[in-house]
Amino acid sequence: MSQARPGDAPPVHDLIGIGFGPSNVAMAIAISEHNARKGTQEAVSAHFFEQQPRFGWHRGMLIDDATMQVSFLKDLVTLRNPSSEFSFLCYLQTKGRLIDFINHKNLFPLRVEFHDYFEWAAAQVDDMVSYDHEVAGVTPVVRDGIVEYMDVTVRSGEGLTVHRARNLVIGTGLRPLMPEGVERGDRVWHNSELLMRVDELEGSSPSRFVVVGAGQSAAENVAYLHRRFPDAEICAVFSRYGYSPADDSSFANKIFDPGAVDEYFAAPESVKRRLMDYHGNTNYSVVDIDLIDDLYRQMYQEKVLGAERLRFLNVSRLAGVKETPDRARATVTSLVTGEETFLDADVVVCATGYSPADPLGLLGGLADRCLRDDRGRVRVERDYRMATDPELRCGIYLQGGTEHTHGITSALLSNTAIRVGEILDSLLGREVGSASGEARPVAGGTGSAPR
C-alpha cells in the first residue's frame, strides 16, 4: 500500500476506514465486489486501519454455548447481495458443515461459529486492511477555503505515516461502560474481558462471584461462571425483579427491517422517542427466554436440594466496590429499603453495557465543521454521512453512533449489509477520485437488494 511520511504529499484514497470490525469488513467486501464487477476504470480505492493485531469481535464474550441473537441470513452480505461469495452459507460450504447446519434446523449459530465466519470473511479482503495500525488523528487539507481532502495520521511499529482520503468511514465500535464510580481492576472486570481474565483463576478455588446487570450478557455470565466453578456462589445483582425476556416476535422484529430505518429517520423526535420506548425490549436489558427458564430451574433445584449457589439480589443496585489484593468487596443497596449488603467476592463482573465511541474524537479541527442538533448530538444524513458546513467537501460516514437518527439498528448486525451498500451508493453518487488525484464521477450502483 502506498503511504507517506509526515510532510510528504501522500497519494489519495477514495475511502479510508477507521476500525475493522464486522461493519467495516462488510464495507470492504462491498467495495471489493463493486471493483470486481466494474473493473479498474471505475474501481474505488480504499484502505482500513485497525489497532488490534488481528481481527477480533467481542472475543471475551465467546462463551462456548452462547448463540447469536440474529438470523444467520443477517450476515455481512446476504441482504445486500444474496449471491455473494462472502455469505455465511458459503463459509459453511468451505468448512464442510453446510449439510450439518441445515439438519440442525436452527437460524441462530453459535457465537463462536459466527466469529469464525467473520474471521474467514476478513481474511479474504486482508489486502485492504493494516492491522496493528492506530489512527492518531485527522487533519483537513484546505485549498482556497475548501476542505478537499483529509490527511489521516497513523501510528504503527514503523512510526507515523500519513494517508490522504476524500472520504472516511468510522467504524470504531462501542466502549465498555462501567457503573458510576466503579473502575476496572484486577478483581473488577467488564464482561467484555471475561474469557481473557477468567483463566487467571485457574488453580485457585474462587468462592464467590458477583455479576452486575440485567441483560443477555449478564445472564450468560451467571450461567457460565456457575457451570465453570462448581464450588463457587454466583450472586446476580440487578434493579428489576427478574430478567426480562427479549421480544423477538415476528411483528416486533420489523423494527430491524431496512425500511424501518427510513421511517425512523423521517419521524418527528417525539415519535422516535416513543418507538424506542415501545421496542427497546427487542435489544436492551433483555434475555432469551430459554436462558431465563434455565437459570430459574437451576435456582429452584438448588433450593430443593438445600445447596444454593445461585443468588439473585433483585430490585438492588451496585453502590460501590472496594478492591484489595485478594478480594473485592461489593456494596449492594436495596432500592426498596435502602439496606446495604456487603459481598466479599473473588471477582465482580460488570455486564453493564457499552457506550458509543465519540465520532468527533479523532477529527481534530474537522470536528468544528460538523453540525449538531439542538441537543448537541451529531447531525447525520440518511446516507450515514455526517452533516457538515459547505466548505467541507469530503464525506465522513458513521457505522454506529447514529441511533438518535437511524434507530435501534445503528450499531447492530441486523442492518450491516444494507447499511454498507447505502454508504457505497452515496460515495459513488458523489464525486470520487482516482489515485492520480483527478476528480471523476463513478457511475453504477452496488447491486443492492430491494429494500
Side-chain angles (χ1 to χ4, degrees), residues 178-189 210-212 237 317-324 327-333 341-350 352:
M178 296 291 286
E180 184 177 356
V182 177
E183 296 183 359
R184 283 194 274 185
D186 291 339
R187 294 185 176 275
V188 182
W189 306 343
V210 174
V211 179
V212 184
V237 178
R317 69 178 184 89
L318 181 70
V321 180
K322 183 177 181 180
E323 189 174 0
T324 64
R327 67 179 182 181
R329 168 165 283 196
T331 302
V332 178
T333 303
T341 300
F342 301 99
L343 297 172
D344 289 329
D346 294 88
V347 174
V348 175
V349 180
C350 296
T352 43

Short mmCIF file of all heavy atoms in Angstrom, two decimals, residues 178-189 210-212 237 317-324 327-333 341-350 352:
data_model
loop_
_atom_site.label_atom_id
_atom_site.label_comp_id
_atom_site.label_asym_id
_atom_site.label_seq_id
_atom_site.Cartn_x
_atom_site.Cartn_y
_atom_site.Cartn_z
N MET A 178 -18.92 1.09 32.57
CA MET A 178 -18.93 0.60 33.95
C MET A 178 -19.94 1.39 34.77
O MET A 178 -20.32 2.52 34.43
CB MET A 178 -17.53 0.77 34.56
CG MET A 178 -16.45 -0.05 33.89
SD MET A 178 -16.65 -1.82 34.16
CE MET A 178 -16.11 -1.96 35.88
N PRO A 179 -20.42 0.81 35.88
CA PRO A 179 -21.32 1.56 36.76
C PRO A 179 -20.63 2.82 37.28
O PRO A 179 -19.40 2.87 37.40
CB PRO A 179 -21.62 0.58 37.90
CG PRO A 179 -21.29 -0.77 37.36
CD PRO A 179 -20.18 -0.56 36.37
N GLU A 180 -21.42 3.82 37.58
CA GLU A 180 -20.87 5.09 38.05
C GLU A 180 -20.05 4.86 39.33
O GLU A 180 -20.49 4.19 40.27
CB GLU A 180 -22.01 6.06 38.36
CG GLU A 180 -21.54 7.44 38.77
CD GLU A 180 -22.68 8.41 39.00
OE1 GLU A 180 -23.85 8.02 38.76
OE2 GLU A 180 -22.42 9.55 39.42
N GLY A 181 -18.84 5.39 39.33
CA GLY A 181 -17.97 5.29 40.49
C GLY A 181 -17.19 4.00 40.60
O GLY A 181 -16.44 3.81 41.56
N VAL A 182 -17.36 3.10 39.62
CA VAL A 182 -16.66 1.81 39.65
C VAL A 182 -15.66 1.77 38.50
O VAL A 182 -16.00 2.09 37.36
CB VAL A 182 -17.65 0.63 39.53
CG1 VAL A 182 -16.92 -0.70 39.48
CG2 VAL A 182 -18.64 0.66 40.69
N GLU A 183 -14.44 1.37 38.82
CA GLU A 183 -13.39 1.28 37.80
C GLU A 183 -12.90 -0.16 37.69
O GLU A 183 -12.91 -0.92 38.66
CB GLU A 183 -12.22 2.20 38.15
CG GLU A 183 -12.58 3.69 38.15
CD GLU A 183 -11.37 4.56 38.43
OE1 GLU A 183 -10.27 4.00 38.62
OE2 GLU A 183 -11.53 5.80 38.44
N ARG A 184 -12.44 -0.50 36.50
CA ARG A 184 -11.91 -1.84 36.29
C ARG A 184 -10.59 -2.03 37.03
O ARG A 184 -9.82 -1.09 37.21
CB ARG A 184 -11.69 -2.09 34.79
CG ARG A 184 -12.98 -2.39 34.06
CD ARG A 184 -12.71 -2.96 32.68
NE ARG A 184 -12.52 -1.90 31.70
CZ ARG A 184 -12.36 -2.12 30.40
NH1 ARG A 184 -12.34 -3.35 29.94
NH2 ARG A 184 -12.20 -1.11 29.58
N GLY A 185 -10.34 -3.26 37.46
CA GLY A 185 -9.12 -3.59 38.16
C GLY A 185 -8.84 -5.07 38.07
O GLY A 185 -9.48 -5.80 37.29
N ASP A 186 -7.92 -5.55 38.90
CA ASP A 186 -7.56 -6.97 38.86
C ASP A 186 -8.73 -7.86 39.23
O ASP A 186 -8.84 -8.99 38.75
CB ASP A 186 -6.39 -7.23 39.83
CG ASP A 186 -5.09 -6.61 39.35
OD1 ASP A 186 -4.99 -6.33 38.13
OD2 ASP A 186 -4.19 -6.39 40.18
N ARG A 187 -9.62 -7.37 40.10
CA ARG A 187 -10.76 -8.18 40.54
C ARG A 187 -12.10 -7.53 40.21
O ARG A 187 -13.14 -7.97 40.69
CB ARG A 187 -10.65 -8.45 42.05
CG ARG A 187 -9.44 -9.32 42.38
CD ARG A 187 -9.37 -9.70 43.83
NE ARG A 187 -8.24 -10.62 44.07
CZ ARG A 187 -8.28 -11.94 43.92
NH1 ARG A 187 -9.43 -12.52 43.54
NH2 ARG A 187 -7.22 -12.69 44.14
N VAL A 188 -12.07 -6.51 39.40
CA VAL A 188 -13.30 -5.86 38.93
C VAL A 188 -13.21 -5.82 37.40
O VAL A 188 -12.37 -5.10 36.85
CB VAL A 188 -13.46 -4.45 39.50
CG1 VAL A 188 -14.77 -3.82 39.01
CG2 VAL A 188 -13.43 -4.47 41.03
N TRP A 189 -14.05 -6.61 36.75
CA TRP A 189 -13.95 -6.78 35.30
C TRP A 189 -15.21 -6.24 34.62
O TRP A 189 -16.30 -6.21 35.20
CB TRP A 189 -13.82 -8.25 34.92
CG TRP A 189 -12.72 -9.00 35.59
CD1 TRP A 189 -11.62 -8.50 36.23
CD2 TRP A 189 -12.59 -10.44 35.66
NE1 TRP A 189 -10.83 -9.51 36.70
CE2 TRP A 189 -11.39 -10.71 36.38
CE3 TRP A 189 -13.36 -11.50 35.20
CZ2 TRP A 189 -10.96 -12.02 36.62
CZ3 TRP A 189 -12.94 -12.80 35.45
CH2 TRP A 189 -11.75 -13.05 36.15
N VAL A 210 -19.67 -11.92 41.87
CA VAL A 210 -20.81 -11.01 41.78
C VAL A 210 -20.92 -10.56 40.33
O VAL A 210 -19.95 -10.08 39.74
CB VAL A 210 -20.64 -9.79 42.70
CG1 VAL A 210 -21.78 -8.79 42.47
CG2 VAL A 210 -20.60 -10.23 44.16
N VAL A 211 -22.10 -10.74 39.72
CA VAL A 211 -22.34 -10.32 38.35
C VAL A 211 -23.41 -9.25 38.36
O VAL A 211 -24.52 -9.47 38.86
CB VAL A 211 -22.78 -11.51 37.46
CG1 VAL A 211 -23.05 -11.03 36.04
CG2 VAL A 211 -21.72 -12.61 37.46
N VAL A 212 -23.09 -8.09 37.81
CA VAL A 212 -23.99 -6.93 37.83
C VAL A 212 -24.56 -6.73 36.44
O VAL A 212 -23.82 -6.69 35.45
CB VAL A 212 -23.24 -5.66 38.27
CG1 VAL A 212 -24.20 -4.48 38.37
CG2 VAL A 212 -22.52 -5.90 39.60
N VAL A 237 -26.83 -9.30 40.54
CA VAL A 237 -27.36 -8.05 41.08
C VAL A 237 -28.01 -7.26 39.94
O VAL A 237 -27.35 -7.00 38.92
CB VAL A 237 -26.25 -7.20 41.73
CG1 VAL A 237 -26.81 -5.87 42.23
CG2 VAL A 237 -25.58 -7.97 42.85
N ARG A 317 -29.04 -2.29 43.51
CA ARG A 317 -28.01 -1.75 42.63
C ARG A 317 -26.65 -1.86 43.30
O ARG A 317 -26.55 -1.94 44.53
CB ARG A 317 -28.29 -0.28 42.30
CG ARG A 317 -28.12 0.68 43.48
CD ARG A 317 -28.36 2.13 43.08
NE ARG A 317 -28.10 3.04 44.18
CZ ARG A 317 -26.90 3.58 44.43
NH1 ARG A 317 -25.88 3.30 43.64
NH2 ARG A 317 -26.74 4.40 45.46
N LEU A 318 -25.63 -1.89 42.46
CA LEU A 318 -24.26 -1.88 42.96
C LEU A 318 -23.91 -0.45 43.34
O LEU A 318 -23.84 0.44 42.49
CB LEU A 318 -23.30 -2.40 41.90
CG LEU A 318 -21.82 -2.46 42.30
CD1 LEU A 318 -21.60 -3.56 43.34
CD2 LEU A 318 -20.94 -2.70 41.08
N ALA A 319 -23.68 -0.21 44.64
CA ALA A 319 -23.38 1.14 45.11
C ALA A 319 -21.89 1.45 45.06
O ALA A 319 -21.49 2.62 45.05
CB ALA A 319 -23.90 1.34 46.53
N GLY A 320 -21.05 0.42 45.06
CA GLY A 320 -19.61 0.64 45.03
C GLY A 320 -18.85 -0.65 45.19
O GLY A 320 -19.41 -1.69 45.59
N VAL A 321 -17.56 -0.59 44.86
CA VAL A 321 -16.68 -1.75 45.01
C VAL A 321 -15.36 -1.27 45.59
O VAL A 321 -14.78 -0.29 45.11
CB VAL A 321 -16.41 -2.46 43.67
CG1 VAL A 321 -15.50 -3.67 43.88
CG2 VAL A 321 -17.71 -2.90 43.00
N LYS A 322 -14.89 -1.96 46.63
CA LYS A 322 -13.58 -1.68 47.19
C LYS A 322 -12.70 -2.90 46.93
O LYS A 322 -13.00 -4.00 47.37
CB LYS A 322 -13.68 -1.40 48.69
CG LYS A 322 -12.35 -1.02 49.33
CD LYS A 322 -12.51 -0.68 50.80
CE LYS A 322 -11.18 -0.29 51.43
NZ LYS A 322 -11.32 0.04 52.88
N GLU A 323 -11.61 -2.67 46.20
CA GLU A 323 -10.76 -3.78 45.79
C GLU A 323 -9.52 -3.87 46.67
O GLU A 323 -8.89 -2.86 46.99
CB GLU A 323 -10.35 -3.59 44.32
CG GLU A 323 -9.63 -4.77 43.73
CD GLU A 323 -9.36 -4.60 42.24
OE1 GLU A 323 -9.75 -3.54 41.69
OE2 GLU A 323 -8.77 -5.50 41.65
N THR A 324 -9.18 -5.08 47.06
CA THR A 324 -7.94 -5.37 47.78
C THR A 324 -7.19 -6.43 46.98
O THR A 324 -7.73 -6.98 46.02
CB THR A 324 -8.23 -5.88 49.21
OG1 THR A 324 -8.93 -7.13 49.12
CG2 THR A 324 -9.06 -4.86 49.98
N ARG A 327 -9.34 -9.78 47.20
CA ARG A 327 -10.79 -9.83 47.07
C ARG A 327 -11.33 -8.47 46.61
O ARG A 327 -10.61 -7.48 46.55
CB ARG A 327 -11.45 -10.20 48.41
CG ARG A 327 -11.29 -9.11 49.47
CD ARG A 327 -11.97 -9.51 50.77
NE ARG A 327 -11.85 -8.44 51.77
CZ ARG A 327 -12.33 -8.53 53.00
NH1 ARG A 327 -12.96 -9.63 53.38
NH2 ARG A 327 -12.20 -7.53 53.86
N ALA A 328 -12.64 -8.47 46.30
CA ALA A 328 -13.35 -7.22 46.01
C ALA A 328 -14.61 -7.22 46.86
O ALA A 328 -15.38 -8.19 46.84
CB ALA A 328 -13.70 -7.14 44.53
N ARG A 329 -14.79 -6.15 47.63
CA ARG A 329 -16.00 -6.05 48.46
C ARG A 329 -17.02 -5.18 47.73
O ARG A 329 -16.79 -3.99 47.50
CB ARG A 329 -15.68 -5.47 49.82
CG ARG A 329 -16.92 -5.06 50.60
CD ARG A 329 -16.66 -4.83 52.08
NE ARG A 329 -16.53 -6.11 52.79
CZ ARG A 329 -16.60 -6.22 54.11
NH1 ARG A 329 -16.75 -5.14 54.87
NH2 ARG A 329 -16.49 -7.39 54.69
N ALA A 330 -18.13 -5.79 47.36
CA ALA A 330 -19.20 -5.09 46.67
C ALA A 330 -20.26 -4.63 47.67
O ALA A 330 -20.68 -5.41 48.52
CB ALA A 330 -19.84 -5.99 45.62
N THR A 331 -20.66 -3.38 47.55
CA THR A 331 -21.76 -2.85 48.35
C THR A 331 -23.00 -2.82 47.49
O THR A 331 -23.03 -2.15 46.45
CB THR A 331 -21.44 -1.44 48.87
OG1 THR A 331 -20.23 -1.47 49.64
CG2 THR A 331 -22.58 -0.92 49.73
N VAL A 332 -24.03 -3.55 47.89
CA VAL A 332 -25.28 -3.66 47.15
C VAL A 332 -26.39 -3.02 47.97
O VAL A 332 -26.58 -3.37 49.14
CB VAL A 332 -25.62 -5.12 46.82
CG1 VAL A 332 -26.94 -5.22 46.08
CG2 VAL A 332 -24.49 -5.75 46.00
N THR A 333 -27.10 -2.08 47.37
CA THR A 333 -28.14 -1.33 48.08
C THR A 333 -29.52 -1.70 47.56
O THR A 333 -29.75 -1.70 46.34
CB THR A 333 -27.93 0.19 47.91
OG1 THR A 333 -26.63 0.54 48.39
CG2 THR A 333 -28.97 0.97 48.68
N THR A 341 -26.02 -4.40 51.62
CA THR A 341 -25.47 -5.74 51.77
C THR A 341 -24.03 -5.72 51.26
O THR A 341 -23.77 -5.19 50.18
CB THR A 341 -26.29 -6.76 50.97
OG1 THR A 341 -27.64 -6.77 51.44
CG2 THR A 341 -25.71 -8.16 51.12
N PHE A 342 -23.13 -6.29 52.05
CA PHE A 342 -21.72 -6.32 51.67
C PHE A 342 -21.37 -7.74 51.23
O PHE A 342 -21.60 -8.71 51.97
CB PHE A 342 -20.83 -5.88 52.83
CG PHE A 342 -21.12 -4.48 53.30
CD1 PHE A 342 -21.92 -4.27 54.43
CD2 PHE A 342 -20.63 -3.39 52.62
CE1 PHE A 342 -22.20 -2.99 54.86
CE2 PHE A 342 -20.91 -2.10 53.04
CZ PHE A 342 -21.70 -1.90 54.17
N LEU A 343 -20.83 -7.85 50.03
CA LEU A 343 -20.47 -9.14 49.47
C LEU A 343 -18.98 -9.18 49.19
O LEU A 343 -18.48 -8.42 48.36
CB LEU A 343 -21.24 -9.39 48.16
CG LEU A 343 -22.78 -9.47 48.24
CD1 LEU A 343 -23.37 -9.52 46.85
CD2 LEU A 343 -23.20 -10.68 49.06
N ASP A 344 -18.27 -10.05 49.88
CA ASP A 344 -16.85 -10.26 49.61
C ASP A 344 -16.74 -11.30 48.50
O ASP A 344 -17.20 -12.44 48.66
CB ASP A 344 -16.12 -10.74 50.86
CG ASP A 344 -15.98 -9.64 51.89
OD1 ASP A 344 -15.89 -8.47 51.49
OD2 ASP A 344 -15.97 -9.95 53.10
N ALA A 345 -16.14 -10.90 47.38
CA ALA A 345 -16.10 -11.76 46.20
C ALA A 345 -14.67 -11.88 45.67
O ALA A 345 -13.84 -11.00 45.89
CB ALA A 345 -17.01 -11.21 45.11
N ASP A 346 -14.43 -12.97 44.98
CA ASP A 346 -13.16 -13.11 44.28
C ASP A 346 -13.10 -12.16 43.08
O ASP A 346 -12.05 -11.58 42.79
CB ASP A 346 -12.98 -14.55 43.81
CG ASP A 346 -12.84 -15.51 44.98
OD1 ASP A 346 -13.90 -15.99 45.47
OD2 ASP A 346 -11.71 -15.77 45.41
N VAL A 347 -14.25 -12.00 42.41
CA VAL A 347 -14.32 -11.13 41.24
C VAL A 347 -15.72 -10.52 41.16
O VAL A 347 -16.72 -11.20 41.44
CB VAL A 347 -14.03 -11.90 39.93
CG1 VAL A 347 -14.27 -11.02 38.71
CG2 VAL A 347 -12.60 -12.45 39.91
N VAL A 348 -15.77 -9.25 40.78
CA VAL A 348 -17.03 -8.58 40.43
C VAL A 348 -17.02 -8.37 38.92
O VAL A 348 -16.09 -7.75 38.38
CB VAL A 348 -17.19 -7.24 41.16
CG1 VAL A 348 -18.45 -6.52 40.68
CG2 VAL A 348 -17.24 -7.46 42.67
N VAL A 349 -18.02 -8.90 38.24
CA VAL A 349 -18.13 -8.76 36.79
C VAL A 349 -19.27 -7.78 36.48
O VAL A 349 -20.42 -8.01 36.90
CB VAL A 349 -18.42 -10.11 36.11
CG1 VAL A 349 -18.52 -9.93 34.59
CG2 VAL A 349 -17.34 -11.13 36.45
N CYS A 350 -18.95 -6.72 35.78
CA CYS A 350 -19.96 -5.71 35.42
C CYS A 350 -20.39 -5.92 33.97
O CYS A 350 -19.66 -5.57 33.04
CB CYS A 350 -19.39 -4.30 35.61
SG CYS A 350 -18.97 -3.91 37.32
N THR A 352 -22.56 -4.34 32.19
CA THR A 352 -23.36 -3.11 32.25
C THR A 352 -23.35 -2.34 30.93
O THR A 352 -23.59 -1.14 30.91
CB THR A 352 -22.84 -2.22 33.39
OG1 THR A 352 -21.40 -2.19 33.40
CG2 THR A 352 -23.30 -2.77 34.73
#
